[in-house]
Amino acid sequence: MSDSRTHTASRTIIASQRAIFRAFLDPEAVASWRPPKGMSAKVFAFDPRPDGIYKMAFIYPETEHGRGKSTADADIFEGRFVELIPDELIVEEVQFESDNPAFAGTMTITTALLPVTGGTKVSIMAENVPPGISAADHRAGMESTLKNLANFIE
């Protein structure tokens, strides 16, 4: 799917499904690999179980001050783990904290882990992406996140 509100990215990572799945459930790990290149993360809450919630911020570097969706320098968002199938699937619902209606709504992010020769194919599909997030920027961010995950775990 690639309509304007559905964005996808994937990458084969040289690691087991189990190792990758565990990296999604550890708040310290998530803070280190999930923010796109150049950004950092702060985790405020993290409860990795079905219906568990999390809250975090991606913080922009000083050179990009003013780009944040929630504050001048941060994208703050809350998420809920909708479904967790160990070593296979993670489904999250995410909402940004923002006064700008272009970033309103609940985005669903589905991450599938598929065994392939030499590792695991990690596929991310974001659905109902807020219209304020361009497809090009979001794909670049997701690809950066997948590269960070590979660097973290390989």
Side-chain angles (χ1 to χ4, degrees):
M1 256 186 200
S2 63
D3 68 38
S4 64
R5 307 273 321 267
T6 300
H7 306 156
T8 61
S10 65
R11 180 185 184 108
T12 297
I13 295 177
I14 304 167
S16 69
Q17 290 169 273
R18 166 171 237 133
I20 294 168
F21 187 80
R22 291 178 63 144
F24 272 83
L25 302 184
D26 178 324
E28 288 182 26
V30 167
S32 72
W33 64 260
R34 196 159 185 177
K37 183 179 180 179
M39 299 181 83
S40 60
K42 180 169 182 165
V43 177
F44 303 104
F46 201 84
D47 184 10
R49 61 181 175 82
D51 282 326
I53 59 123
Y54 61 86
K55 183 175 182 176
M56 67 177 73
F58 288 169
I59 304 179
Y60 289 87
E62 275 189 42
T63 56
E64 295 185 37
H65 192 78
R67 292 197 54 204
K69 296 171 188 63
S70 307
T71 67
D73 65 349
D75 296 345
I76 301 169
F77 53 97
E78 293 186 17
R80 180 175 74 88
F81 292 101
V82 176
E83 186 174 11
L84 293 168
I85 299 175
D87 308 336
E88 292 179 20
L89 187 74
I90 300 150
V91 180
E92 305 164 72
E93 290 181 339
V94 177
Q95 293 180 312
F96 288 100
E97 285 185 8
S98 180
D99 293 332
N100 184 337
F103 301 114
T106 301
M107 177 171 49
T108 301
I109 301 172
T110 302
T111 304
L113 308 176
L114 182 68
V116 295
T117 302
T120 301
K121 183 177 182 182
V122 181
S123 299
I124 301 171
M125 179 172 62
E127 299 172 279
N128 196 34
V129 176
I133 301 173
S134 77
D137 285 348
H138 201 207
R139 275 193 204 95
M142 290 190 297
E143 288 169 1
S144 175
T145 292
L146 288 170
K147 182 178 181 181
N148 293 343
L149 177 60
N151 290 339
F152 175 80
I153 208 158
E154 289 182 340

